[in-house]
Structure formats: structure tokens, C-alpha cells
């Protein structure tokens, strides 16, 4: 069992010397990053800086070219590891929501519980309703994704990830595809998750969220972590020129 | 003459109608109905065709089509998955299969399976299942090749994010394919698959090269024999009408589905 391998004292996420190349293009050039349980780490940086690739490497949606990724002490780059088992412990939220359009909201929330966690229909639906209530979508259990606004879809996507009872959550620009007036409702859900102590790694352009909710801020550029620290410190008093340039463009 | 654009378009349309009606009238007037009528629309011979043309011929056509479609679909799914496999030899086998049976005329494949295979394997055709079964196997092979490509296109049209979302929830590649990709892919390919069904329905007329019995005649074969026996083409006309009665609703249904999917987008 994958659960026997978990080391409770190990950091939630431990990335060591991560390298990722796409053909000739080296996107990640040796990233070291540790996220301890309960931390909310926000990753910012210009497009093409590798921040999404870093996030997607943490649950192996991208196969690292070099280096290691340890999840709760388990090296998931080991080809013999049960990656599906590890992934149930890592919730992921995508920029484009990626709800399953052929299933109702309830179907979206129960499919993996039933087929992966082998929960019964009743239990899975009970968990689903609980998580929907948590994201304020309890009234839409029978709706289909196309009937929902972007903000509602993203909240359902968060609930879908939560149904697996993950130990940590990855957010890949969760509000970038949303109309401005819908961003707030999604950030609110993420904020309450953070307050409940969820370990979170968030790639985002929302500097306000990073400042107020983040326990640490990472600035990436050109496949490197250029600067990291307390979000308020980094945002108000950046040490590196590249960070200053980036912040002056986005703030 | 100052006509508005809409008026001008209307005028052209009426002109086209007028010409078409004139041509049709000319064809009807110049036709020698006293000769054509008895040869193609003979009520006595038409009456003799019942009930066999329905209970044997049409039923066989539908039955053969259903079997070939089901078999082709099943094989087609397997081939499509093989062709998308990350394992080289699987892809090569699928590609070779698809190219072979799509590239050959259907009649040749049916002939090869039903006539050449028994000779090549030194096993009598009877032992291999008889002409009807062997002919249908040939048709299934042809159907599978066409359907594999349709199915593959449908499965690949499902956005990559769907697979990623399923995998990130811990679903294995198999579960992801079965629960997430295939159901969505099939929605996309229902219209082309209906087309495939219509093509297959017509291709059952090729099964005669496998050999047939009186009980196994489908529409074309039945009508062709009846036409020869009676020295009269009325059975062929009847078979043609029966084909259209089945195929036109199907193609209309496809058009409806395509319209509806277009609206959803």
C-alpha cells in the first residue's frame, strides 16, 4: 500500500534539482522547492517562466527530465511507484476547469470516488454534497457543467478535487480564464481552504491573493526560482532586478 | 430595370424551378410508358415478390448489416486504441490492418475470406462456418478498418485537459479511457458512424460473392435473381425503394444530430 510509505514528518512537497526539457527547450533548470504541511505557497512569474510546468511536475502530469519530486517522502519519479495512488492525495485545479461535460455536477464529483476510492454510491454522493456545500454550490448538484458560469465551474472543480480528501492542492492559474467579476468567488473558496489549513501550491497572477493568503511567495523567471520569501516582503521590497521589473509591469 | 436584391433572387429562383419542371415534363411526355411501365413497374410481378422480399431479403439485409456493424465497431474500437498506443508494434499492426482493408475493394476482401482462405488453409469452407459466416467476417474486417479511423478521430477530438483531470484524480489510463474519453468521443462520432451504417447496409449486397443459399439472400441478390427469372426489372425497382426506405431516415437522422451538435457549440 502506498499509504505505508508515507513519512508524516517529511515535507508535503519536496522538489530537488528538477529539470524539464521539451525537445531543445529547457523549461526548468534545476528547481529546489520545499512545501511543508499547511503552507500556502504562491508562484508568480512571467509567462514561459516554467511555473505551470513546475506545478504539473508535482503530480507528474509532466514527467521530469531530471531531479526528484517527493510527495510526503515518496519519490514519485521512481517508475515503480503507484502514481495513481499518490495522485489521490494531491488535488489539482486547472485554468480551464476541465469538468467532465458528459456528467452532471454530482457525476463529476463521484466518478473518481467510486472508481478509484471504491466508495459506494451513497457514501460518494454524501461526500460530494458535503464538498459542494463547502464551495457554495450545494444547489447545483444536478446541473451540467455547460449550464454553469466559469466561476461556478471552477468552484465545482475545486469540490471535485476535495472529494478525494487530498493532503494538498495544486492550483494552475485557477482564475485566469474567468471574467473579472467571477474571480472573487473562486478566490474566496481558496481563501477559506487556506484558513482550514490545506497545503496549497498556487500558480497565480492574483497578487492580492498572494499577499493576503500566501505564507510564501516564489518568483520564477527563465526556469529558475529567482526570489522567494514572505509575500509582503517580496511584493513591497523585491531584492532582484528581474523581480522588480516583473512587479513594475503587473502591479 | 430597378429590382431590389431580394426581388432579383426570387426571380432567379422561379426561373430555375420553371426550367426544372419543364425538363421533368419533357421526360415524362417523351417516355414510352407502354413499354417502360410493364418492364419496371409491373404490379403482377410485384405482387409475386411478397412476402419473400420482406421476410427473407430485407430481414437478411438488416440482419447482416447489424452483425457487420456490431463486429466492425468492436474490432474498430480495439484497432483505434491500438493505433493510439504508445507501444510501437501495436501501432504498426493496427496501421497495417487499417490500410489493407480500407485500401482493398470490399468485394475482394469478402472473396478472399470466403473463397481463398479455405483453399489456402486446406480447411473446407463448411468447417470454417459456411459462406454466410465467412462473407460476414470479410465484411466485418472491412467495416472495422473504416470505423477504426472514425473512432480514433473521435477519441482524439476529446480535449487533453479531460484526460489530465481524470489522471489527476488518480484514475488509471484504462479507467480514464473507459469513463471519460470514450463516452465523450462517441458523442462526437455518432453522425459519422450512422454514415458508416448506411455504407455497410449497401455493402451487404456484395456478400453474394461468398456464395449464398435461398434463405440467405439479401435484397440485391434476391431482386437480381427474381429479375432474371421473370425477365422483368420490377423486383430491382422494389429493392431500390426498400433500400431508400431504410437509408433516407438514417441519413436524415444524421443531419439532425449534426445540426443539434452545431447548435450546442
Amino acid at each position: 500500500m502506498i499509504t505505508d510509505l508515507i513519512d508524516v514528518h517529511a515535507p508535503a512537497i519536496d522538489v530537488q534539482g528538477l529539470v524539464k526539457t521539451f525537445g531543445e527547450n529547457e523549461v526548468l533548470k534545476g528547481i529546489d522547492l520545499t512545501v511543508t504541511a499547511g503552507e500556502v505557497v504562491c508562484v508568480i512569474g512571467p509567462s514561459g517562466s516554467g511555473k505551470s510546468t513546475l506545478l504539473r511536475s508535482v503530480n507528474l502530469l509532466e514527467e521530469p527530465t531530471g531531479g526528484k519530486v517527493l510527495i510526503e517522502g515518496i519519490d514519485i519519479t521512481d517508475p515503480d511507484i503507484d502514481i495513481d495512488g499518490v495522485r489521490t492525495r494531491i488535488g489539482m485545479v486547472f485554468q480551464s476547469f476541465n469538468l467532465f461535460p458528459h456528467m452532471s455536477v454530482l457525476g463529476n464529483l463521484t466518478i473518481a470516488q467510486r472508481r478509484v476510492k471504491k466508495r459506494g454510491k451513497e457514501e460518494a454522493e454524501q461526500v460530494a454534497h458535503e464538498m459542494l456545500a463547502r464551495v457554495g454550490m450545494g444547489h447545483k448538484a444536478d446541473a451540467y457543467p455547460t449550464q454553469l458560469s466559469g466561476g461556478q465551474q471552477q468552484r465545482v472543480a475545486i469540490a471535485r478535487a476535495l472529494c478525494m480528501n487530498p493532503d494538498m492542492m495544486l492550483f494552475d492559474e485557477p482564475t485566469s480564464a474567468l471574467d473579472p467579476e467571477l474571480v472573487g468567488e473562486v478566490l474566496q473558496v481558496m481563501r477559506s481552504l487556506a484558513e482550514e489549513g490545506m497545503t496549497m501550491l498556487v500558480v497565480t497572477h492574483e497578487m492580492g491573493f498572494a499577499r493576503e493568503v500566501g505564507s510564501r511567495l516564489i518568483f520564477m523567471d527563465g526556469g529558475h526560482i529567482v526570489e522567494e520569501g514572505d509575500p509582503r516582503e517580496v511584493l513591497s521590497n523585491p531584492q532582484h532586478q528581474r523581480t522588480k521589473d516583473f512587479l513594475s509591469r503587473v502591479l | 430595370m430597378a429590382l431590389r436584391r431580394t426581388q432579383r433572387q426570387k426571380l432567379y429562383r422561379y426561373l430555375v424551378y420553371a426550367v426544372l419542371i419543364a425538363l421533368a415534363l419533357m421526360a415524362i411526355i417523351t417516355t414510352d410508358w407502354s413499354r417502360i411501365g410493364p418492364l419496371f413497374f409491373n404490379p403482377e410481378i410485384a405482387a409475386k415478390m411478397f412476402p419473400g422480399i420482406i421476410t427473407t431479403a430485407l430481414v437478411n439485409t438488416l440482419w447482416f448489416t447489424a452483425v457487420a456493424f456490431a463486429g466492425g465497431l468492436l474490432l474498430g474500437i480495439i484497432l483505434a486504441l491500438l493505433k493510439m498506443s504508445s507501444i510501437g508494434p501495436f501501432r504498426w499492426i493496427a496501421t497495417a490492418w487499417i490500410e489493407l482493408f480500407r485500401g482493398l475493394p470490399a468485394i475482394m476482401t469478402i472473396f478472399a475470406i470466403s473463397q481463398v482462405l479455405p483453399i489456402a488453409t486446406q480447411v473446407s469452407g463448411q468447417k470454417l462456418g459456411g459462406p454466410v459466416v465467412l462473407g460476414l467476417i470479410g465484411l466485418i474486417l472491412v467495416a472495422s478498418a473504416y470505423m477504426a479511423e472514425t473512432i480514433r478521430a473521435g477519441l482524439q477530438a476529446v480535449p487533453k485537459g479531460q484526460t489530465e483531470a481524470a489522471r489527476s484524480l488518480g484514475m488509471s489510463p484504462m479507467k480514464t479511457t473507459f469513463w471519460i474519453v470514450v463516452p465523450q468521443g462517441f458523442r462526437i462520432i455518432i453522425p459519422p458512424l450512422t454514415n458508416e451504417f448506411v455504407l455497410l447496409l449497401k455493402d451487404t449486397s456484395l456478400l453474394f460473392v461468398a456464395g449464398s443459399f435461398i434463405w440467405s439472400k439479401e435484397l440485391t441478390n434476391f431482386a437480381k435473381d427474381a429479375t432474371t427469372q421473370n425477365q422483368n426489372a420490377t423486383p430491382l425497382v422494389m429493392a431500390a425503394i426498400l433500400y431508400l426506405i431504410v437509408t433516407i431516415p438514417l441519413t436524415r437522422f444524421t443531419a439532425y444530430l449534426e445540426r443539434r451538435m452545431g447548435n450546442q457549440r
Side-chain angles (χ1 to χ4, degrees), chain A residues 216-237:
Chain A
R216 189 148 46 105
L217 183 67
I218 288 178
F219 171 68
M220 278 184 73
D221 192 16
H224 294 286
I225 291 179
V226 176
E227 187 164 351
E228 67 180 300
D230 180 83
R232 269 154 294 235
E233 279 294 301
V234 176
L235 288 174
S236 55
N237 187 21

Side-chain angles (χ1 to χ4, degrees), chain A residues 2-3 51 57 67 77 82 90 102 110 117 129 147 149 151-152 154 175 195 200 221 225 245:
Chain A
I2 199 84
T3 42
K51 53 194 194 303
S57 300
T77 55
D82 166 25
I90 313 171
H102 60 302
T110 51
K117 289 226 165 194
H129 283 296
Q147 300 167 326
S149 75
Q152 291 176 323
Q154 195 59 301
T175 57
E195 282 163 3
M200 292 163 63
D221 192 16
I225 291 179
D245 292 344

